[in-house]
Amino acid sequence: MITDAKASIIEVNDTFTSITGYCREEAIGQTPRILQSGRQSPEFYANMWQTLLTEGYWYGEVWNRRKNNEVYAVLQTISAVRDVHGITTHYVSLATDITPMKAHQDELEHIPHYDVLTNLPNRVLLSDRLSQAMLQCRRHAQSLAVVFLDLDGFKTVNDTYGHDMGDELLIALSVRMKEALRESDSLGRIGGDEFVAVLANLIKVEDCEPVLERLLLAASDPVTVGGVIFNISASIGVTLYPRDDVDADLLMRHADQAMYMAKESGKNCYHLFDTAQDDAIKVQRESLEAIRCALDNHQFVLYYQPKVNMMRGTVVGVEALIRWQHPERGILNPIEFLPVIENHTMMIEIGEWVIDTALTQISQWQAMGVNLMVSTSVNIAAVHLQQPDFTQRLTTLLAAHPNVEPRYLELEVLETSALEDVHHISTIMNDCMNLGVNFALDDFGTGYSSLTYLRRLPASLIKIDQSFVRDMLSNADDLAIVEGVIALAKSFKRDVIAEGVETIEHGTALLQLGCELAQGYGIAKPMPASDIPAWISDWKPDASWLS
């Protein structure tokens, strides 16, 4: 294309006509403005002319419009033609149609961001849109919902009718679900039969509920594909930002977790992610990791609390009680960490560590020549005691300490754990007693105590729970329970010991009821193993107990 100095077209060639659709006669006398598509701003053309006037040359991409209104792209060069005096007399423009190239470029840019089957945004693009929506939320103090949708029973469709039919169904459902959304929402397919929607600009949380109902309806309404009517549904998980104040990846993961809860609730429904529950799970996980680290780094230690015969003034045993030597929080009692692993396999590992450490300590006390021929008791968790190989593992631990007689080890079993399977627990207890180990029934009175349990469980010692002993002086009901347990133990020819003896008065009252054995802060607090020999040597019962 050649124009005069005022940009009026004075000549074009045949390629100009084939590209633009304007013949020579239609173009001559016009200006290049007849080709403008409106895609470029006035500033674009102003900059183009400024470059031409100052440099006499311009090169770049331009979007033009053909005579039939079709928009096309050209790579264009415009050069100024000047006379001997440097005055511009003409402009010559050379243009190449690059529309197919631009279309291919757009296709290449489209592929990494869109799902090939449904043409919906894929995970990459959806994550970007979610991040942008989160920014807008913060700016405008609004909320958004991340919706994770999984089709129920879609695998059966593929298995029965083939993947081609399944793909057609996915395409049909994706169109429906997109129509169920608002204009400001985004829907993407992230793989298989899984879709994620981002519901933005929520003034209040409840604004997302109508959209969720429409999504459920879009998935559950019958769909006809290839003459086959499909009746499927969807399970939907939802998390709300900024109530769930995490990054984009975690929002999608939380919505995914909520979707599985919807599946477990019967499908064809939606479930809101519970941030409080997730926080609890996170704390649980962190606690488990900390306990694992403590076990690996030898941060646990055993303290020992003496048990005495108040009437005879003798020490009859010690109870091994685990403590955590926390590097930051100091000595922690078991109530602060054992509940975390109550039904976890780590409880078994810690239980074996306690038994092994107690046996080691008994051996060390004996090697010191101190007269400590008293039993050492350890608490056994239900999950540990009920292991099929418990007796075998105990045998191995005893064998590792051949100089310790098994009769000096006593295992304390919680009454409530023993009740879960009396026959099984009884069998294990008998097997262990054949090794020479003794048993005590701990916290007696807190479970559903009955004569049947007491008759079938071969424990030689019954421990009255400290909650009853502590208040027995002021609470008639607790006193009655303590008195009843003592009488019950005597009827079954079992020894009985009271926990929680905090004062001399507690001890006196127990002696009057016929209970001679006791332990508690009124006698001695749990102490390091190194303090036990001196304490036993120095301990003297209260004079009133001996009278």
Side-chain angles (χ1 to χ4, degrees):
M1 178 173 61
I2 302 174
T3 73
D4 60 19
K6 294 182 179 180
S8 292
I9 299 173
I10 61 174
E11 190 60 76
V12 296
N13 63 0
D14 293 341
T15 306
F16 173 92
T17 298
S18 65
I19 291 176
T20 68
Y22 291 100
C23 65
R24 182 173 180 276
E25 290 74 20
E26 291 173 314
I28 290 177
Q30 299 289 337
T31 68
R33 288 193 185 91
I34 63 170
L35 303 177
Q36 285 187 9
S37 65
R39 280 207 182 182
Q40 269 103 7
S41 65
E43 289 77 18
F44 172 83
Y45 293 105
N47 292 333
M48 175 195 292
W49 278 106
Q50 183 63 35
T51 303
L52 278 171
L53 292 174
T54 56
E55 300 180 15
Y57 177 85
W58 182 88
Y59 172 82
E61 293 182 5
V62 183
W63 284 96
N64 287 335
R65 188 180 300 276
R66 308 187 207 274
K67 183 180 177 180
N68 64 3
N69 279 329
E70 182 183 328
V71 176
Y72 67 101
V74 292
L75 192 61
Q76 188 168 359
T77 302
I78 306 173
S79 302
V81 179
R82 292 170 177 160
D83 60 17
V84 293
H85 303 291
I87 305 298
T88 299
T89 59
H90 299 84
Y91 291 99
V92 177
S93 169
L94 301 175
T96 303
D97 189 346
I98 60 170
T99 308
M101 186 191 308
K102 296 295 286 185
H104 184 60
Q105 180 180 331
D106 288 344
E107 184 180 351
L108 291 176
E109 291 175 355
H110 184 89
I111 289 172
H113 298 97
Y114 287 86
D115 174 52
V116 176
L117 180 65
T118 62
N119 205 33
L120 292 173
N122 61 13
R123 183 185 290 270
V124 175
L125 180 56
L126 196 72
S127 294
D128 181 66
R129 289 187 179 179
L130 174 55
S131 297
Q132 295 301 318
M134 291 168 69
L135 285 173
Q136 293 298 318
C137 267
R138 287 194 287 270
R139 284 176 188 157
H140 302 295
Q142 294 179 335
S143 297
L144 66 79
V146 179
V147 180
F148 199 105
L149 185 148
D150 183 271
L151 299 178
D152 303 322
F154 183 75
K155 183 178 182 299
T156 305
V157 175
N158 277 339
D159 293 345
T160 306
Y161 298 96
H163 287 273
D164 290 343
M165 189 78 88
D167 287 349
E168 291 298 319
L169 180 58
L170 285 174
I171 293 169
L173 288 173
S174 67
V175 172
R176 271 193 189 177
M177 289 188 291
K178 192 172 182 180
E179 291 173 349
L181 301 180
R182 303 165 304 163
E183 189 175 345
S184 59
D185 301 331
S186 296
L187 177 69
R189 179 178 177 237
I190 61 171
D193 59 340
E194 295 178 333
F195 297 81
V196 172
V198 178
L199 313 183
N201 305 326
L202 301 176
I203 305 301
K204 55 185 185 296
V205 170
E206 294 77 14
D207 291 346
C208 71
E209 293 176 1
V211 183
L212 297 174
E213 295 291 348
R214 289 199 299 270
L215 281 171
L216 286 173
L217 192 61
S220 61
D221 271 355
V223 184
T224 303
V225 177
V228 179
I229 300 175
F230 293 100
N231 288 282
I232 62 172
S233 62
S235 295
I236 295 177
V238 188
T239 192
L240 299 159
Y241 177 85
R243 179 190 293 179
D244 185 10
D245 194 11
V246 293
D247 61 28
D249 288 340
L250 268 178
L251 283 174
M252 291 180 67
R253 195 180 308 169
H254 289 171
D256 187 15
Q257 291 174 20
M259 181 275 294
Y260 280 104
M261 295 300 295
K263 290 271 189 194
E264 292 179 5
S265 299
K267 305 178 182 178
N268 193 24
C269 63
Y270 64 84
H271 182 85
L272 288 174
F273 178 75
D274 188 338
T275 52
Q277 182 184 43
D278 186 64
D279 288 343
I281 292 171
K282 192 181 300 180
V283 169
Q284 170 85 358
R285 183 173 62 249
E286 291 172 353
S287 298
L288 286 173
E289 290 172 355
I291 294 171
R292 175 77 266 167
C293 179
L295 193 56
D296 292 342
N297 289 283
H298 312 291
Q299 292 176 4
F300 290 114
V301 66
L302 290 185
Y303 273 36
Y304 296 86
Q305 186 177 33
K307 304 175 186 178
V308 301
N309 186 308
M310 298 179 289
M311 179 171 287
R312 297 179 183 176
T314 57
V315 179
V316 297
V318 292
E319 179 179 1
L321 300 166
I322 191 170
R323 297 290 187 267
W324 182 356
Q325 293 178 312
H326 197 283
E328 298 170 0
R329 299 170 60 193
I331 298 292
L332 301 182
N333 286 327
I335 191 64
E336 298 191 56
F337 56 91
L338 286 187
V340 176
I341 57 172
E342 184 174 357
N343 293 308
H344 195 275
T345 54
M346 218 183 308
M347 182 64 95
I348 301 169
E349 194 173 347
I350 286 180
E352 293 199 353
W353 175 87
V354 170
I355 294 173
D356 184 61
T357 304
L359 290 170
T360 301
Q361 187 59 61
I362 295 170
S363 178
Q364 290 174 355
W365 281 333
Q366 289 178 350
M368 290 167 60
V370 180
N371 183 22
L372 284 173
M373 306 312 287
V374 295
S375 69
T376 298
S377 63
V378 300
N379 295 282
I380 298 297
V383 67
H384 188 188
L385 184 64
Q386 293 171 9
Q387 293 299 305
D389 62 344
F390 179 83
T391 306
Q392 180 183 345
R393 294 292 302 160
L394 180 61
T395 303
T396 303
L397 289 168
L398 290 169
H401 303 275
N403 59 327
V404 177
E405 295 181 38
R407 65 190 177 95
Y408 291 122
L409 178 66
E410 181 179 73
L411 304 181
E412 296 191 8
V413 183
L414 283 177
E415 177 205 352
T416 47
S417 65
L419 302 183
E420 292 180 10
D421 187 344
V422 176
H423 177 72
H424 179 56
I425 296 296
S426 178
T427 301
I428 292 174
M429 290 173 68
N430 279 311
D431 290 342
C432 294
M433 289 173 69
N434 289 334
L435 299 175
V437 174
N438 294 310
F439 276 89
L441 204 53
D442 197 10
D443 291 353
F444 195 83
T446 57
Y448 301 96
S449 313
S450 77
L451 300 179
T452 303
Y453 299 136
L454 196 53
R455 178 173 59 84
R456 294 179 61 182
L457 294 174
S460 58
L461 178 68
I462 293 175
K463 299 188 75 173
I464 309 173
D465 185 65
Q466 59 183 323
S467 63
F468 305 121
V469 176
R470 189 180 299 116
D471 297 329
M472 63 180 286
L473 300 179
S474 58
N475 187 304
D477 289 338
D478 285 345
L479 179 61
I481 291 174
V482 171
E483 189 173 6
V485 173
I486 293 171
L488 196 61
K490 288 184 176 180
S491 298
F492 281 87
K493 296 181 174 53
R494 309 288 173 85
D495 290 330
V496 61
I497 184 171
E499 295 181 291
V501 176
E502 297 183 351
T503 65
I504 300 299
E505 290 73 23
H506 280 102
T508 301
L510 287 164
L511 285 168
Q512 289 172 354
L513 294 174
C515 178
E516 299 178 5
L517 305 181
Q519 72 179 107
Y521 280 23
I523 298 167
K525 293 182 179 180
M527 63 189 77
S530 57
D531 294 349
I532 286 291
W535 187 91
I536 291 180
S537 177
D538 297 340
W539 180 72
K540 290 180 175 57
D542 187 84
S544 64
W545 291 352
L546 302 176
S547 59

